[in-house]
Amino acid sequence: VLHNSLKSFTFALPILLLPRCVPHDISINGLCRMAGVIPYRRMPASHKGSPFRIFFQKTSHKNNMNIAIVGASGAVGQEFLRVLAERNFPIDELHLFGSSRSAGTSYTFKGKSYTVKELKHGTDDFKGIDIAFTSAGGGTARDYAEDITRYGAVMIDNSSAFRMDKDVPLVVPECNATDALERPRNIIANPNCTTIMMVVALQALEQISHIRRIHVASYQAASGAGAAAMAELYEQYRQILAGEPVTVEKFAHQLAFNVIPQIDVFTDNGYTKEEMKMYNETKKIMHTDADVSATCVRVPSLRCHSEAIWAETEEPVSVEQFHEAVRNGKGLQLQDDPSKGEYPMPLFLESCDDVYVGRVRKDLANPNGITFWIVSDQIKKGAALNAVQIAEWLIDNDPKFSNR
């Protein structure tokens, strides 16, 4: 019934009862994708026309896949399940794996219960698996990569274990999807969350004029450090308001009512590992000679990262040119009307798919510079969604999957 309603566009009244993005269009997306339809384009908050001017396309995947999720009980593992369901990903068999602690836990996916199996060496558990989404940490990824890929499964890994390996492609589909076809080890690396959202926006700018250098300051939510870190932030606020000693375990310092200019450990050059990931990964993904200088800061928001970006291009780029590039870009939404207080904010973009761009302006310190602000859900586009989009692209374009 829902599917037919969507086709005939008689679904407007029920959607009136649901929130939009911005904020929270996930409810609309979930309805659409469960009906076997995926949104072609969303309207940003600044859109003045009908909120029901939405276009649809049928999912194009021909073959159902046998899918594994390693690290199914973690924050990203759970996001994998939500994203796969929302996008009506073509699944024949689903297998969940985790540590001995999470083994035996059951999760519901599309109305069916699945039990987490302990990840072990020397088994045939991955025989017949087409694609394995892994988000169990770098050590586990390296330790079990051979077991996962032995029978031909494509491993799409969310950790940092393989990102800079020369024989492992590092992929953001909006930028370099075809790199995923060259994977001699059957491993594809999912980039760091802050890098993903930045290069999606930079790709639109690169289409206008080659980017020479990039400066970026990130404002990263507590959830970037995991579910336990989010819980600690809540607890810190409670403890402060109750006049109790503050617990600090997941961050370098108290995060509540504070910002911390350190994410990950410092390296010998004074930059943190998180900042160096943005430097190295951007070059690899975009196949660029542009240099990147990053400062990564933890802020006391719960979910969605933000970034302030200054980019220098070979030729001057106007605000209007970049606006148009963002409007036409893949995975981007323009939300830029400061006079009306319209710009991306983390509070309103949780569970949204795209990278939102605002505060676009010329760089007053550089005639070839342009600066802008972006926000994206780092657990979704910054992790699970990007990996699923890689898999979707493979199904449609890799002969291993598309010709069978």
Side-chain angles (χ1 to χ4, degrees):
V1 172
L2 177 59
H3 177 72
N4 290 334
S5 296
L6 287 168
K7 287 172 64 180
S8 61
F9 288 88
T10 60
F11 62 101
L13 183 58
I15 288 182
L16 280 171
L17 304 177
L18 297 172
R20 289 173 56 202
C21 185
V22 181
H24 307 308
D25 75 337
I26 189 61
S27 299
I28 297 174
N29 285 348
L31 282 171
C32 296
R33 284 166 176 144
M34 284 187 286
V37 183
I38 54 179
Y40 178 71
R41 182 157 185 144
R42 294 187 202 86
M43 297 297 110
S46 55
H47 174 66
K48 301 308 179 187
S50 166
F52 310 116
R53 187 184 168 200
I54 304 172
F55 302 89
F56 298 92
Q57 61 183 17
K58 282 282 191 174
T59 182
S60 60
H61 312 312
K62 306 183 213 44
N63 304 303
N64 283 354
M65 299 286 114
N66 294 335
I67 299 298
I69 299 176
V70 178
S73 297
V76 176
Q78 290 295 291
E79 194 69 18
F80 274 131
L81 291 172
R82 285 189 286 270
V83 170
L84 291 168
E86 287 170 13
R87 299 180 75 81
N88 198 33
F89 190 91
I91 294 178
D92 189 11
E93 297 179 8
L94 177 64
H95 301 266
L96 306 182
F97 295 91
S99 66
S100 57
R101 293 192 306 270
S102 60
T105 306
S106 293
Y107 297 103
T108 300
F109 178 78
K110 288 191 170 183
K112 183 178 177 181
S113 180
Y114 294 85
T115 301
V116 177
K117 187 173 183 178
E118 184 178 355
L119 184 66
K120 292 183 178 181
H121 288 296
T123 70
D124 291 336
D125 287 341
F126 290 88
K127 192 172 185 177
I129 296 295
D130 295 302
I131 298 171
F133 299 106
T134 60
S135 186
T140 299
R142 287 201 177 275
D143 198 20
Y144 285 91
E146 186 177 340
D147 296 88
I148 293 169
T149 60
R150 179 182 297 128
Y151 296 105
V154 176
M155 176 179 175
I156 303 177
D157 181 57
N158 192 57
S159 78
S160 61
F162 308 105
R163 288 174 184 160
M164 298 313 298
D165 290 7
K166 291 183 179 180
D167 55 357
V168 174
L170 183 67
V171 176
V172 177
E174 294 89 342
C175 301
N176 64 329
T178 56
D179 286 3
L181 297 174
E182 299 296 328
R183 49 175 197 278
R185 294 162 62 184
N186 250 2
I187 300 171
I188 299 170
N190 211 30
N192 185 46
C193 54
T194 49
T195 305
I196 289 174
M197 56 190 285
M198 180 173 74
V199 298
V200 171
L202 290 177
Q203 186 67 23
L205 182 60
E206 180 72 18
Q207 302 309 305
I208 308 172
S209 179
H210 177 58
I211 300 169
R212 287 176 172 170
R213 59 181 55 86
I214 304 139
H215 292 87
V216 56
S218 72
Y219 305 84
Q220 300 180 218
S223 54
M230 293 175 69
E232 181 172 301
L233 179 59
Y234 273 118
E235 181 65 6
Q236 286 182 357
Y237 277 119
R238 188 200 65 77
Q239 290 170 332
I240 292 169
L241 295 174
E244 300 173 1
V246 176
T247 301
V248 179
E249 295 177 350
K250 299 299 179 181
F251 305 106
H253 302 277
Q254 172 188 314
L255 184 58
F257 299 111
N258 192 24
V259 297
I260 304 172
Q262 177 189 351
I263 296 176
D264 214 325
V265 298
F266 285 96
T267 64
D268 292 340
N269 65 1
Y271 285 80
T272 64
K273 286 179 66 176
E274 183 84 355
E275 292 158 354
M276 291 310 300
K277 287 175 186 177
M278 298 190 76
Y279 175 88
N280 291 312
E281 293 178 16
T282 300
K283 287 177 172 288
K284 183 173 180 178
I285 295 163
M286 297 188 70
H287 303 284
T288 184
D289 58 356
D291 285 325
V292 182
S293 183
T295 298
C296 295
V297 181
R298 186 74 69 192
V299 297
S301 57
L302 287 172
R303 182 160 164 165
C304 293
H305 290 349
S306 308
E307 295 175 11
I309 299 171
W310 295 259
E312 178 187 328
T313 52
E314 287 186 345
E315 301 294 332
V317 175
S318 70
V319 171
E320 293 74 20
Q321 282 179 298
F322 188 49
H323 273 179
E324 186 64 19
V326 171
R327 290 189 191 99
N328 295 328
K330 297 178 181 178
L332 293 170
Q333 295 289 344
L334 181 66
Q335 189 183 6
D336 193 17
D337 192 347
S339 66
K340 298 179 180 178
E342 294 180 358
Y343 32 70
M345 290 182 282
L347 180 63
F348 303 120
L349 295 178
E350 179 179 332
S351 295
C352 292
D353 288 358
D354 293 337
V355 177
Y356 283 71
V357 181
R359 295 296 318 278
V360 180
R361 57 209 187 275
K362 291 292 294 181
D363 189 341
L364 297 178
N366 187 337
N368 282 21
I370 194 161
T371 184
F372 52 96
W373 170 262
I374 63 173
V375 177
S376 188
D377 188 324
Q378 89 288 352
I379 298 178
K380 198 167 193 184
K381 178 54 184 172
L385 175 60
N386 194 75
V388 172
Q389 288 172 324
I390 293 170
E392 290 173 337
W393 189 91
L394 289 176
I395 293 171
D396 285 340
N397 295 277
D398 188 336
K400 174 184 173 72
F401 302 116
S402 61
N403 291 342
R404 71 182 199 180

